Amino acid sequence: MIAPSLGRLACRTVFSVLLVMIATTASAATDVIHLKNGDRITGEIDKIWDAEIYIEPDYADEFTVDVDAVAYIESDRDFDLEVSIKEDTTIKFVGQSPEGEQLIERDGQVVAVPLLSLEQVEEPEEYFDWEINADVSLNFERGNTDTDTNQLRGDAFFKFGDHRHFADAQFIRERTDNESTKKQDLIGYDYNWSFSRPWFMGLNASYERDPIKDLEHRYIAGINLGRDIWDSARRFWSIQAGPGIQIEERGDEEDEQAIAQYLMRITHKFFSSDMDAFHRQSVTYNLSGTDNTVFKSSTGFEWEFIDDAYWRISYDYDWESDPADDAVSTDQRFTFGVGIEFD
């Protein structure tokens, strides 16, 4: 009878140890915001940005707390404090100093700092990250002129350590009085390797066609040197430029040209991350062959109205200095659509 008793005792012991480990892990993962009025908020802090603390408790969605209302923060987790675009440092929130300032642990030392001086604090950047968006916009006009316009658009972002991949695609179809007036396809890919933050090397490729404008195809491949102006969870801004090659067929003529190109990408989050402002811009200048400069931009907002679903408003502007015969130089488009995000 001794052996079964010892077996039951061992099982209870193992079970108790597991419960303690689970409780300890759960407790360690909890961040605590101590307010100046004596209240406490527990949950998981996402970031500190623009004098607001973003925290998600177990009982509610993420919300913000003004730093002015906070006495101090306690957490066992590591956070990244942005010192500059070139440098982050890892800190821990360890309590409050006798003078009432925030105590942080940095490089093994505990120092007191005003909480408001920590302008941008985030969870450590993940080695792997990804996001995919897809949206559609439709427009129907009936009257003296019947016009149907539809646009299918998508973009994707993947990050592996120092390597970033951007891809986007856009397909636009328009019919006026049962005649096609636009058939535009645009597919692009951009690869960045961050060799010395904030500097990176880039490779890009794109494909475009618009037979209504006598553009049968346009292939571009290039290599670039780029720099991140911003790079955080809240905002991103990168610029890059370099040489490339372009192969295009306009009308009955196919030509191969050396080009110089400039690319810019900006995103900025507002309203507790529910709204993203964005701007994409590219300039291609022919160094040989046809004397032509192409400017493309897309500017707008994406506003999340329910989980992973968003409204998208954008203004697209395309301009060519020397378009194909019978085509106008400027093409402008304002679109409103709905989309879904995967991440």
Side-chain angles (χ1 to χ4, degrees), residues 60-131:
D61 293 334
E62 182 179 84
F63 60 90
T64 62
V65 180
D66 289 340
V67 170
D68 279 338
V70 177
Y72 65 99
I73 300 169
E74 285 183 305
S75 176
D76 290 330
R77 296 191 298 134
D78 288 336
F79 290 87
D80 284 343
L81 170 64
E82 183 174 300
V83 179
S84 69
I85 186 63
K86 296 182 179 181
E87 180 187 358
D88 287 344
T89 187
T90 301
I91 65 171
K92 278 189 171 72
F93 295 100
V94 295
Q96 187 179 36
S97 72
E99 293 78 20
E101 292 189 317
Q102 176 70 53
L103 290 176
I104 63 170
E105 182 181 326
R106 175 181 176 181
D107 298 329
Q109 296 183 337
V110 176
V111 296
V113 297
L115 193 54
L116 277 170
S117 69
L118 305 178
E119 295 182 356
Q120 188 166 315
V121 178
E122 299 170 348
E123 293 180 302
E125 188 175 85
E126 297 180 2
Y127 182 84
F128 172 72
D129 194 13
W130 67 281
E131 181 179 308

Side-chain angles (χ1 to χ4, degrees), residues 33-41 65 68-72 96:
I33 297 177
H34 295 262
L35 301 179
K36 293 178 180 178
N37 65 4
D39 292 342
R40 301 195 319 165
I41 303 173
V65 180
D68 279 338
V70 177
Y72 65 99
Q96 187 179 36

